[in-house]
Amino acid sequence: MVQASSTLGRHAVVVGGSMAGLLTTRILSGYFEQVTILERDRFPTEAPAPRKGLPQCTQLHILLTRGRQIMEDLFPGLESDLIDAGAAVLDMGADVEWMNPFGWTARFPSGFKALSFSRYILDWLIHRRLSEFSNIQILEASYVTGLLTNSDKTAVTGAIVRRREGEHSEQVQQEELSADLVIDASGYSSQAPKWLKAIGYDAPEETVITTSMGYASRLYEIPADFQEDWKGVYIQADPPKRTSMGVLYPIENNRWIVGVCGTAPNRPSTNEAEFLEALRNLPSPHIYNAVKDAKPATAIGIYHPPGNRLRHYERLSRQPQGFIALGDSVCSFTPIYGQGMTVAALGAVLLQQCLQETALTELPSRFQKELARVNVTPWIAATSQDAKYPSVKGLTQPPSLPEKAIGWYMDRLIQLTTKEPQVTLVLFNVFHMVQSSGALLQPSILFRVIQQLLTRSLSRKSSKIQVSTSSITSR
Ligand SMILES: Cc1cc2nc3c(=O)[nH]c(=O)nc-3n(C[C@H](O)[C@H](O)[C@H](O)COP(=O)(O)OP(=O)(O)OC[C@H]3O[C@@H](n4cnc5c(N)ncnc54)[C@H](O)[C@@H]3O)c2cc1C
């Protein structure tokens, strides 16, 4: 059993037992005598498996390297647990065929490793680790419906929860759980704004940017005779021209997870023929050829994620003590950029910093302000890409000149990946949040962009000269 190290308070309650809730609980266990997760679902007991409250968990999930590093710090040995459980280890430069809008990224041994596994195996392993802590309790079938407050409503003092006792019991009991701190980690469907309004506070303003993206995923058994020089394939969308994309990654149990995305009216469906057709229509047949004769291991699962939503808790003029929100509840993204779990992990790390440096009474306003800063870069990364989709909704103004310049520069870098491994490596580090975006402006990268521009303009000039000499000769 792992014991608590120091205590800031007696009891913290975490609403939601998915990635944001699990990681936050690990942090809180070092600062509170007791931490309770309240989760509306029941968790799988025998083996890793999907669950109802996490409908996205059957869809492809990429864990960015920064997120993996944080999780490894919080749960030492988690990476080896994942590998022991069958996660595939991929060298992102050598093992993955990446088709970007300018062609194929040049393959090279990059030393940049990623682990590939199903989302539910990660939750399962972390959940198992948390159960080793003597001061953590996980209450399943516990649906939070509101917040408790003190008499003058200046502080949240707990949560109101409807609990179902036995696994098959229909009997629901309403309970009140008092706590020094309540953390909302209940994801996109979080009702926290309503809970705040019910105790006399404003709901946070929201920014919502959507693209009507649809996801379809399916697991396949990797055929015994499969022989290619790649382990995974990523065919990137090229909006506004082409909004579909496809991914194939190996995961545990010798399976591929194959996903295809598209925006309305071309969202993928659960229909077998349509799923294969969507794969066949991608600009490269890699994925289609790999799976067309492979044995499916599951049905096709679809999911229509709601899109990017930012709740501006940091702008609230009044915030109650004893309550904070993080994870998808505050900031959720179009999933194709693979940022959600890592941003949840960054939120947990920030919470730790704040708990170390801030009195509990000051925590909510400091935490929400700093979380807003953490969310800025991934939010811009997701929404600036989504802005290229014809179906985008919620943009209040066209991209500004600096935003256009950043977009143009990013395109040049992506274009360079077709022949410059060094650029690809820096992009991996930035996309995986290991380095800040400032790394994209380092002299060696700038030099390559300028060199590419000069080469292109020289070759354009020389082809014009050739055209005019040939027209003189032919006269
Ligand atoms: C299709 C899809 C693909 C994705 N792919 C990726 C990817 O590749 N990489 C990546 O990093 N992220 C990805 N994400 C995002 C990722 O799943 C989330 O960011 C991540 O799970 C963290 O979210 P969360 O814990 O804040 O909320 P969620 O994962 O939504 O979990 C919320 C939890 O709260 C519980 N809950 C809700 N309401 C209550 C209540 N009132 N009382 C008690 N419990 C409650 C729910 O049952 C659930 O367990 C994807 C998302 C989708 C939709």
Side-chain angles (χ1 to χ4, degrees), residues 230-280:
W230 49 260
K231 293 183 187 165
V233 182
Y234 168 37
I235 298 175
Q236 199 184 330
D238 184 14
K241 279 183 276 170
R242 182 175 49 77
T243 60
S244 58
M245 57 164 273
V247 189
L248 175 155
Y249 270 52
I251 58 166
E252 71 274 5
N253 298 329
N254 197 40
R255 296 198 166 161
W256 281 321
I257 182 158
V258 174
V260 64
C261 298
T263 53
N266 300 313
R267 292 204 283 211
S269 77
T270 53
N271 178 290
E272 168 102 33
E274 283 177 16
F275 183 73
L276 286 173
E277 190 58 13
L279 293 175
R280 207 165 66 85

Side-chain angles (χ1 to χ4, degrees), residues 12-22 24-25 28 36-40 143-147 156 158-159 181-196 204 309 311 313 322-331 344 347 351 367-368 371:
V13 159
V14 178
V15 186
S18 174
M19 199 50 68
L22 296 174
T24 304
T25 298
L28 293 168
T36 304
I37 297 182
L38 298 172
E39 167 55 51
R40 65 181 171 189
Y143 184 72
V144 173
T145 57
L147 299 169
V156 167
L181 183 62
V182 175
I183 286 99
D184 176 42
S186 62
Y188 193 89
S189 64
S190 162
Q191 301 296 309
K194 283 191 189 151
W195 302 339
L196 286 176
R309 188 192 64 199
R311 281 181 169 159
Y313 281 95
F323 176 81
I324 62 170
L326 46 63
D328 278 19
S329 154
V330 175
C331 184
L351 179 62
F367 177 76
Q368 300 299 164
L371 185 67

Side-chain angles (χ1 to χ4, degrees), residues 140-437:
E140 306 177 313
S142 301
Y143 184 72
V144 173
T145 57
L147 299 169
L148 299 170
T149 50
N150 54 0
S151 54
D152 58 5
K153 299 197 170 165
T154 51
V156 167
T157 55
I160 306 166
V161 53
R162 289 209 321 249
R163 298 200 54 217
R164 206 177 284 272
E165 268 310 330
E167 188 157 349
H168 304 291
S169 160
E170 285 304 305
Q171 219 179 338
V172 177
Q173 297 197 84
Q174 178 148 313
E175 291 175 18
E176 296 188 347
L177 245 79
S178 57
D180 307 295
L181 183 62
V182 175
I183 286 99
D184 176 42
S186 62
Y188 193 89
S189 64
S190 162
Q191 301 296 309
K194 283 191 189 151
W195 302 339
L196 286 176
K197 281 188 98 168
I199 58 167
Y201 288 84
D202 290 337
E205 291 167 23
E206 293 185 356
T207 307
V208 179
I209 298 179
T210 60
T211 56
S212 78
M213 181 85 64
Y215 256 65
S217 290
R218 184 179 222 182
L219 300 190
Y220 286 89
E221 289 177 13
I222 303 180
D225 59 353
F226 172 73
Q227 266 189 339
E228 289 291 347
D229 66 348
W230 49 260
K231 293 183 187 165
V233 182
Y234 168 37
I235 298 175
Q236 199 184 330
D238 184 14
K241 279 183 276 170
R242 182 175 49 77
T243 60
S244 58
M245 57 164 273
V247 189
L248 175 155
Y249 270 52
I251 58 166
E252 71 274 5
N253 298 329
N254 197 40
R255 296 198 166 161
W256 281 321
I257 182 158
V258 174
V260 64
C261 298
T263 53
N266 300 313
R267 292 204 283 211
S269 77
T270 53
N271 178 290
E272 168 102 33
E274 283 177 16
F275 183 73
L276 286 173
E277 190 58 13
L279 293 175
R280 207 165 66 85
N281 286 336
L282 291 169
S284 151
H286 276 61
I287 303 180
Y288 174 75
N289 286 343
V291 304
K292 67 181 187 328
D293 300 319
K295 190 170 166 210
T298 58
I300 299 162
I302 55 162
Y303 192 77
H304 295 161
N308 308 286
R309 188 192 64 199
L310 195 51
R311 281 181 169 159
H312 299 281
Y313 281 95
E314 77 286 0
R315 293 186 194 159
L316 286 176
S317 56
R318 278 172 66 240
Q319 271 179 268
Q321 288 173 23
F323 176 81
I324 62 170
L326 46 63
D328 278 19
S329 154
V330 175
C331 184
S332 72
F333 309 96
T334 295
I336 55 174
Y337 313 111
Q339 304 187 112
M341 293 189 291
T342 298
V343 173
L346 290 170
V349 170
L350 172 66
L351 179 62
Q352 179 164 38
Q353 261 169 30
C354 292
L355 288 170
Q356 268 162 11
E357 297 164 8
T358 323
L360 221 42
T361 45
E362 307 301 320
L363 181 77
S365 83
R366 172 172 172 193
F367 177 76
Q368 300 299 164
K369 282 195 175 66
E370 294 196 13
L371 185 67
R373 284 197 275 275
V374 167
N375 289 335
V376 167
T377 307
W379 175 263
I380 292 176
T383 54
S384 62
Q385 284 303 309
D386 281 1
K388 297 181 182 172
Y389 285 78
S391 57
V392 70
K393 285 204 179 88
L395 286 178
T396 47
Q397 54 203 26
S400 63
L401 211 57
E403 283 165 351
K404 279 189 189 158
I406 293 169
W408 175 88
Y409 186 71
M410 286 306 291
D411 280 351
R412 300 293 70 74
L413 294 182
I414 303 276
Q415 189 171 14
L416 274 169
T417 65
T418 55
K419 51 179 193 280
E420 293 276 4
Q422 201 214 337
V423 175
T424 311
L425 191 54
V426 176
L427 280 172
F428 284 157
N429 276 290
V430 172
F431 289 162
H432 282 252
M433 300 190 199
V434 177
Q435 284 185 298
S436 77
S437 47

Side-chain angles (χ1 to χ4, degrees), residues 96-172:
V96 178
E97 279 277 49
W98 170 16
M99 178 184 252
N100 66 61
F102 302 95
W104 291 103
T105 294
R107 303 246 306 274
F108 66 107
S110 66
F112 193 94
K113 300 266 185 254
L115 299 185
S116 177
F117 44 79
S118 62
R119 165 65 198 262
Y120 41 86
I121 212 167
L122 178 65
D123 287 47
W124 165 269
L125 290 172
I126 293 181
H127 191 268
R128 224 173 49 178
R129 289 295 193 93
L130 288 181
S131 62
E132 291 166 8
F133 283 71
S134 59
N135 66 338
I136 293 176
Q137 72 166 337
I138 301 176
L139 298 180
E140 306 177 313
S142 301
Y143 184 72
V144 173
T145 57
L147 299 169
L148 299 170
T149 50
N150 54 0
S151 54
D152 58 5
K153 299 197 170 165
T154 51
V156 167
T157 55
I160 306 166
V161 53
R162 289 209 321 249
R163 298 200 54 217
R164 206 177 284 272
E165 268 310 330
E167 188 157 349
H168 304 291
S169 160
E170 285 304 305
Q171 219 179 338
V172 177

Side-chain angles (χ1 to χ4, degrees), residues 444-463:
S444 61
I445 301 293
L446 271 171
F447 172 75
R448 282 175 164 81
V449 172
I450 294 166
Q451 198 182 32
Q452 173 184 235
L453 290 175
L454 288 175
T455 319
R456 276 176 49 199
S457 103
L458 280 176
S459 75
R460 256 194 247 122
K461 271 194 189 135
S462 78
S463 62

